[in-house]
Amino acid sequence: MLVHPNLERSLGFQLRLLEVEAEAQARKALEPFDISPARVAALMVIDANPGCTQTALGEALTVNRASAMKLVNFLEGRGLVRRTPSPDPRANALLLTDEGCSALKAMTIALKAADDQAMSVLTAKEASIFLACVGKLRDSFAAEGENNP
Amino acid sequence: MLVHPNLERSLGFQLRLLEVEAEAQARKALEPFDISPARVAALMVIDANPGCTQTALGEALTVNRASAMKLVNFLEGRGLVRRTPSPDPRANALLLTDEGCSALKAMTIALKAADDQAMSVLTAKEASIFLACVGKLRDSFAAEGENNP
DNA sequence: TATTGTTATACTCTATAACTATA
DNA sequence: TATAGTTATAGAGTATAACAATA
């Protein structure tokens, strides 16, 4: 069945289909850990920014404070993240627990294997151009968003 | 604030960020029409496959029958799509109304303008390689999905 | 039996708005 | 007044399961 000539050539639609498949693949790679890709992304942000606040976590993941809080509630409940006192008593400083740290290492390995397998259909040159284009496009969208806030 | 070295290099995460931005841009381009990108995609599928069933529509959009039905309910309520009798009396044959046809033309123009603007940061060669890579990656994911159904 | 459309229900993710406690 | 976290609520979007009509 035909989808539609305009859809086949549409950047947005093709990206959406690809992203849906990439997310499903990541979800599968994470099945042994019973955790979603978005939550692993949160762990990675905290790992890269120990002591960051929930608001900062939300900004890095482009979700709002309330959503960031739900993420942290889940990760804390799993024993992967700790809320610790921060210089500013209004804020929480987020840290990975020891368990969170070792779990993240294992998850990262699983995700990378899946990623590498998907990227293996591209030549090295294609992969490099592809990732550069993704970056350029993201910058382009970000610039547009600033012009029309 | 650092996101995370592993995330910066992650195909899945970068794709997700890009897709979120592309979707937001499409949503904005469609604001004058008060309709979501997913619903316009449904219109395009029906336009390309006049008389298709709801189940077929769902398959093309990779959603299930119940979700396809909600899409059609909305589009019918808007007067953009008609459910007509089908050779198989269990099924509906979906058609665009005249209004749906002309609305889709205008929406397509708006979407293409936004798409072209985003792609304008890529050289012609980059754009061609980028779209080819998207296709390759989708095929790769699809093949993986078949091996592990 | 299998399939189409339908309905009811629930789940996930996210957003908004209002509240508190601090700054 | 502005900000961090919290809470309650609501909205999309999608999925599952069961049902009727028909193949």
Side-chain angles (χ1 to χ4, degrees), chain B residues 74-85:
Chain B
F74 174 89
L75 297 172
E76 193 182 47
R78 274 289 195 85
L80 303 173
V81 165
R82 269 184 308 150
R83 288 172 159 108
T84 68

Side-chain angles (χ1 to χ4, degrees), chain B residues 119-140:
Chain B
M119 292 293 278
S120 70
V121 297
L122 304 184
T123 66
K125 189 177 176 185
E126 281 174 337
S128 144
I129 295 177
F130 177 77
L131 288 174
C133 289
V134 170
K136 276 194 183 186
L137 288 169
R138 284 199 54 210
D139 289 345
S140 161

Side-chain angles (χ1 to χ4, degrees), chain A residues 28, chain B residues 140-149:
Chain A
K28 194 166 179 175
Chain B
S140 161
F141 283 127
E144 250 184 86
E146 276 168 27
N147 295 338
N148 314 308

Side-chain angles (χ1 to χ4, degrees), chain B residues 2 23 95 121 127 137 142:
Chain B
L2 256 184
E23 154 119 17
L95 292 176
V121 297
L137 288 169

Side-chain angles (χ1 to χ4, degrees), chain A residues 6, chain B residues 29 33 44 103-116:
Chain A
N6 287 328
Chain B
F33 305 98
M44 289 185 179
L104 177 57
K105 281 196 185 100
M107 294 168 191
T108 302
I109 290 171
L111 282 176
K112 177 143 184 20
D115 235 57
D116 288 349

